[in-house]
Amino acid sequence: MRPLLAFLGLVVAALPAAAQERLPIFDTHAHYSSPAWSQFDAAAVLRNFTAAGVMRAIVSSTPDTGTLRLKAADAGRVVAMLRPYRDGVGPGDWHNDTDSIAYVAERLARGGYVGVGEVHLYDRAAAETPVVREIARMVAERGLVLHVHSDAAPIEAAPRLPAPPEQLELTPPPQPAKRGR
């Protein structure tokens, strides 16, 4: 066993320094929802992102206040997605809640979002509701993305959106300069 460990140690030591460095992470699915707020303020979440190497994160929260808190604390790192979930409206019923239309329209009018989601569609009927169709129309009209969490059948039934615009920039920001070793 010791010869194997010694060999592995030599292999790792022989790797170029760049191969041993941690690569930056773009977290494409983060939530900062109300149960976490009493345990972690926005600054603590961002410190955890930094410690983990997360340079950018797509964040959606229930309610949306969590996303807005993180974005206000670090707009360069947080990519905001709007969830229609809020007081008593969640993954299982948002698509039938007609107030979701006005809620999403009002929030999108504020700006700062790259899309709506992550939203859940559990069956084909949910994807075909007037609420989903109207929110999909608003998303397409603004050139945003719709992030759906679902199986294949609801996706096949969901309204088709055009490809996201080229102005939708999700690439990581430049990394800070590295200190000498």
Side-chain angles (χ1 to χ4, degrees), residues 11-45:
V11 169
V12 170
L15 291 174
Q20 295 178 29
E21 293 180 24
R22 287 183 0 177
L23 296 175
I25 296 170
F26 188 140
D27 186 337
T28 61
H29 190 151
H31 302 294
Y32 182 48
S33 297
S34 59
W37 301 345
S38 62
Q39 297 176 7
F40 303 97
D41 63 11
V45 172

Side-chain angles (χ1 to χ4, degrees), residues 18-78:
Q20 295 178 29
E21 293 180 24
R22 287 183 0 177
L23 296 175
I25 296 170
F26 188 140
D27 186 337
T28 61
H29 190 151
H31 302 294
Y32 182 48
S33 297
S34 59
W37 301 345
S38 62
Q39 297 176 7
F40 303 97
D41 63 11
V45 172
L46 295 170
R47 282 192 304 274
N48 287 335
F49 279 176
T50 299
V54 176
M55 299 301 290
R56 296 276 289 207
I58 295 177
V59 178
S60 62
S61 307
T62 305
D64 188 46
T65 305
T67 300
L68 298 178
R69 286 179 183 174
L70 286 181
K71 186 166 176 80
D74 192 344
R77 183 181 304 194
V78 175

Side-chain angles (χ1 to χ4, degrees), residues 57-102:
I58 295 177
V59 178
S60 62
S61 307
T62 305
D64 188 46
T65 305
T67 300
L68 298 178
R69 286 179 183 174
L70 286 181
K71 186 166 176 80
D74 192 344
R77 183 181 304 194
V78 175
V79 178
M81 294 285 285
L82 172 61
R83 266 185 145 176
Y85 309 163
R86 64 213 182 277
D87 302 320
V89 178
D93 59 358
W94 74 274
H95 57 274
N96 284 319
D97 177 62
T98 56
D99 290 341
S100 291
I101 295 169

Side-chain angles (χ1 to χ4, degrees), residues 86-152:
R86 64 213 182 277
D87 302 320
V89 178
D93 59 358
W94 74 274
H95 57 274
N96 284 319
D97 177 62
T98 56
D99 290 341
S100 291
I101 295 169
Y103 175 80
V104 168
E106 185 270 325
R107 292 283 177 150
L108 289 179
R110 296 179 185 185
Y113 297 98
V114 299
V116 172
E118 162 206 24
V119 295
H120 295 78
L121 296 173
Y122 295 115
D123 56 35
R124 183 176 285 274
E128 296 173 335
T129 65
V131 172
V132 172
R133 295 209 176 276
E134 179 57 18
I135 289 175
R137 186 199 64 74
M138 287 189 283
V139 165
E141 180 180 86
R142 290 167 174 80
L144 304 175
V145 297
L146 183 61
H147 175 192
V148 178
H149 184 125
S150 181
D151 289 331

Side-chain angles (χ1 to χ4, degrees), residues 144-179:
L144 304 175
V145 297
L146 183 61
H147 175 192
V148 178
H149 184 125
S150 181
D151 289 331
I155 295 298
E156 291 167 359
R160 296 287 168 243
L161 300 179
E166 297 211 10
Q167 79 235 19
L168 183 64
E169 184 60 45
L170 298 178
T171 57
Q175 294 185 34
K178 295 187 176 160
R179 296 181 184 182

